[in-house]
Amino acid sequence: MNIVVCVKQVPDTATERKLRSDDKTLDRDAADGVVNELDEYAVEEALKLKEAHGGEVTVLTMGPGKATETIRKALAMGADKAVHLSDDALHGSDALSTSYAMAQVLKKIGFDLVILGSESTDARTGVLAAMLAERLGASQLTLANKVEVEGTSIRVQRITDYGFDKVEAALPAVVSVVEKINEPRYPSFKGIMAAKKKPVETIAIGDASIDAGQVGLDAAWSEVVDFAAAPPRAAGTIVKDEGDGGANAADFLASKKFI
Amino acid sequence: MSEILVLVEQVEGEVKKVTLELLTLARSLGTPAAVWLGPGITADAKAKLAEYGAEKIYVGGSEELVQYVVAPKAEALAQLVADKAPAAVLVAATAEGKEIAGRLAVKTDSGVITDAVGLGEGFVADQSIFGGGVNVRAKVRRGTPIVAVRPNSTAPAPSAGAGAEEEISVTLSEAAKAARVVERVKQEKGARPELTEAAIVVSGGRGVGSAENFSVIEGLADALGAAVGASRAATDAGWYPHQFQVGQTGKTVSPQLYIAAGISGAIQHRAGMQTAKTIVAINKDPEAPIFELADYGVVGDLHQVVPQLTEEIKKRK
């Protein structure tokens, strides 16, 4: 089975994240880059499926040169090879252009299964997997906390507001995973060393028939009009419980008409 | 004024509150038209949609629309967009609502904005990003604006619309039927409101201490008619089911009131609840970062404070 895992480098949530004042895009230099957490679960699930069914796991990322760090981590966990789509023309791409560019690469490299995290910790749009399925004409099995493959069919448990749906489809498919699906492995020393020798192909938009007029800031389907740091919340009232903390909190709730 | 399509969310035939919020929001920007996709629309549901301003109700009643994952609803909406040329399409910013919006955006070659917490003139949307640290105003500049709006962003207000029903027939492509739902498994606990759209959420974290002790959190939630949430520490420990997790890798909630009990308020948790209108925190540790967000905080043991608060609420009702 030919599995492609899409991973994204995102600014570390623990550091201050900013938008650039010039073009209102993510300031990638302001914070440390890490692998999007949910994508690590996607890598783990891909490796498990490979262990069970054979095949190959390819890591795909789109991002500037620095995003190579993200690829190395996935390779160290056990992925076989990587494709890095990197081109200045992609800077400022929104979800629609990102899904278009990634779909073009996926068409070029081929796949039975595409796996990714259900959302990224930076943009948090949660739309990429659905968009990829739409663009690729592949089955959409998103928000999965359990994945089973049998021959050319795939079954997942799709998390819903009321519990979950059992969903089945034929490959090729796009799967997005939620955090509950597994426990991502830590790269071993051996894995880290082996990752250095694994093939990483860096491609530009021309290598995947990506139309420059459909990507980047100027082509984006949506735009940030303006932005500002959220005003700090006004300091609240903090009281120490002296045996009447619950009653005091009730007074507060009553003053706000919640009771 | 141009029509604004509002995708109806419903549970067993009952229109969800978020849809009434979207109709209220749509009224301020154009002529609201509700879109019901799936079988089972009732006279009550139609009356409710009209009561909150739907001038039109488009009804696609085919069973097929709900038998497959997301794609059929996006396809039906795309056909409506082509037929009616609406000014915008609004959906609820739930996990599935956003996926529908994403596929619709590709199909109609339109821009999409997710997790709007407000929407104004020219369909300029307010968003709160980076765990609530930055406020953004964004707009669609290609195609029909598609906006996924967070529940609780607008107070629903009735204002009668004509509610003229129009049946729509939807022809699904084979591609839309690729992923079939074979079984729906309900795990919802009791009669509590759904977490992402509840007006009040009471969440418990590490400080709760055990699965049994979550009854303290549930007791307060029930006294307030609230939904129960949990921090990742609590769901990872197996004290509360994962689908109730609030935070970066869980649900995002934006209620009128959020009560955090025994939750320290790590950035990952804050990312899921920071846009709550009023925040109350109860924690033993006076240094807990949750107090930086709290409108009202009690430094104390939740096992003392929460039961007392629950009793007080019951007394005052």
Side-chain angles (χ1 to χ4, degrees):
Chain A
M1 191 166 39
N2 185 1
I3 307 172
V4 181
V5 191
C6 302
V7 299
K8 183 181 188 185
Q9 187 176 47
V10 296
D12 190 345
T13 314
T15 56
E16 193 196 357
R17 294 172 290 174
K18 291 196 270 194
L19 294 179
R20 282 164 43 155
S21 55
D22 54 354
D23 66 2
K24 307 184 188 101
T25 64
L26 176 66
D27 186 344
R28 290 176 192 271
D29 298 325
D32 294 337
V34 296
V35 184
N36 178 46
E37 184 185 344
L38 287 166
D39 295 344
E40 290 190 35
Y41 294 82
V43 174
E44 177 64 35
E45 202 58 24
L47 296 173
K48 280 191 165 156
L49 287 168
K50 179 193 158 177
E51 283 155 13
H53 303 283
E56 196 173 47
V57 174
T58 305
V59 183
L60 169 61
T61 200
M62 170 175 144
K66 210 176 126 185
T68 312
E69 300 159 12
T70 299
I71 290 175
R72 288 292 163 204
K73 171 118 193 233
L75 291 175
M77 285 171 74
D80 299 293
K81 60 189 173 71
V83 176
H84 181 181
L85 173 61
S86 182
D87 199 310
D88 289 344
L90 295 165
H91 173 75
S93 291
D94 65 358
L96 275 138
S97 13
T98 300
S99 66
Y100 159 71
M102 295 199 55
Q104 290 300 97
V105 178
L106 285 162
K107 283 179 196 165
K108 177 178 181 274
I109 63 180
F111 63 92
D112 299 307
L113 192 56
V114 176
I115 310 185
L116 64 164
S118 57
E119 65 179 19
S120 65
T121 56
D122 53 356
R124 296 203 72 186
T125 61
V127 297
L128 191 67
M131 285 181 171
L132 284 177
E134 177 71 37
R135 290 195 186 277
L136 295 165
S139 309
Q140 178 188 331
L141 298 108
T142 41
L143 305 166
N145 76 344
K146 191 175 173 190
V147 179
E148 292 168 330
V149 173
E150 206 179 294
T152 58
S153 67
I154 176 165
R155 279 192 300 271
V156 309
Q157 279 189 10
R158 169 178 166 81
I159 295 296
T160 64
D161 284 340
Y162 47 78
F164 60 87
D165 286 349
K166 292 185 178 175
V167 176
E168 65 181 26
L171 298 176
V174 176
V175 169
S176 77
V177 301
V178 300
E179 159 238 311
K180 199 67 183 172
I181 193 166
N182 58 41
E183 198 58 54
R185 67 195 68 185
Y186 286 105
S188 63
F189 179 69
K190 204 174 134 204
I192 293 165
M193 296 312 287
K196 296 185 177 174
K197 298 200 184 95
K198 288 178 179 172
V200 178
E201 189 190 357
T202 302
I203 61 172
I205 60 169
D207 302 315
S209 313
I210 295 166
D211 176 359
Q214 300 291 313
V215 294
L217 194 60
D218 293 341
W221 277 259
S222 55
E223 65 179 318
V224 172
V225 178
D226 52 46
F227 69 91
R233 290 184 88 103
T237 309
I238 311 292
V239 298
K240 195 171 180 310
D241 179 31
E242 308 280 5
D244 54 0
N248 290 337
D251 289 342
F252 173 77
L253 294 183
S255 76
K256 294 279 181 184
K257 310 253 184 286
F258 287 114
I259 47 176
Chain B
M1 279 209 287
S2 320
E3 222 165 52
I4 296 173
L5 301 183
V6 171
L7 178 62
V8 177
E9 294 239 343
Q10 52 100 7
V11 183
E12 286 160 1
E14 194 173 328
V15 177
K16 288 174 80 171
K17 192 178 82 181
V18 64
T19 300
L20 310 179
E21 295 168 9
L22 296 189
L23 287 171
T24 305
L25 193 57
R27 258 180 10 230
S28 66
L29 299 163
T31 306
V35 183
W36 178 286
L37 298 176
I41 189 165
T42 59
D44 279 357
K46 286 181 217 167
K48 196 82 162 174
L49 295 171
E51 183 190 344
Y52 282 82
E55 294 295 337
K56 273 273 185 62
I57 304 172
Y58 295 113
V59 179
S62 161
E63 181 82 32
E64 277 196 321
L65 288 165
V66 295
Q67 285 171 332
Y68 305 92
V69 176
V70 173
K73 288 183 181 171
E75 216 160 89
L77 281 172
Q79 288 172 30
L80 263 181
V81 168
D83 288 351
K84 310 291 177 188
V89 181
L90 306 187
V91 302
T94 56
E96 177 161 319
K98 292 198 283 185
E99 292 188 333
I100 293 169
R103 290 191 81 122
L104 178 64
V106 172
K107 280 179 184 298
T108 59
D109 196 29
S110 299
V112 58
I113 290 172
T114 52
D115 282 312
V117 294
L119 191 61
E121 201 66 28
F123 299 102
V124 175
D126 299 311
Q127 293 173 297
S128 167
I129 65 165
F130 298 156
V134 178
N135 292 335
V136 168
R137 293 196 324 136
K139 69 171 188 192
V140 164
R141 62 179 186 199
R142 292 173 69 176
T144 307
I146 300 167
V147 187
V149 184
R150 262 193 209 158
N152 291 312
S153 298
T154 307
S159 171
E165 191 177 339
E166 183 177 329
E167 249 179 73
I168 53 167
S169 67
V170 181
T171 318
L172 292 186
S173 68
E174 282 309 304
K177 301 185 210 169
R180 200 164 69 90
V181 177
V182 291
E183 191 186 344
R184 295 186 199 279
V185 181
K186 297 212 162 95
Q187 292 181 316
E188 194 79 12
K189 289 195 147 189
R192 292 193 190 103
E194 208 275 302
L195 180 57
T196 51
E197 72 163 20
I200 304 178
V201 174
V202 182
S203 283
R206 195 187 300 277
V208 175
S210 70
E212 296 71 47
N213 286 346
F214 252 84
S215 59
V216 174
I217 303 296
E218 290 179 327
L220 175 56
D222 291 342
L224 286 164
V228 174
S231 73
R232 182 164 177 177
T235 60
D236 275 356
W239 300 341
Y240 220 68
H242 175 250
Q243 73 260 32
F244 298 97
Q245 184 180 312
V246 172
Q248 191 158 265
T249 56
K251 299 255 165 74
T252 300
V253 299
S254 209
Q256 298 297 318
L257 170 64
Y258 188 85
I259 301 181
I263 291 176
S264 68
I267 183 78
Q268 287 82 359
H269 186 75
R270 293 159 62 155
M273 46 65 76
Q274 192 144 335
T275 52
K277 308 287 183 298
T278 299
I279 297 171
V280 171
I282 299 156
N283 201 299
K284 272 198 292 203
D285 176 9
E287 304 295 322
I290 193 78
F291 287 123
E292 293 163 20
L293 300 182
D295 298 287
Y296 192 86
V298 181
V299 179
D301 184 350
L302 76 92
H303 300 288
Q304 318 285 317
V305 177
V306 173
Q308 188 180 73
L309 173 56
T310 307
E311 280 316 303
E312 283 292 329
I313 291 166
K314 286 183 185 163
K315 250 193 265 172
R316 297 179 194 201
K317 266 189 172 170

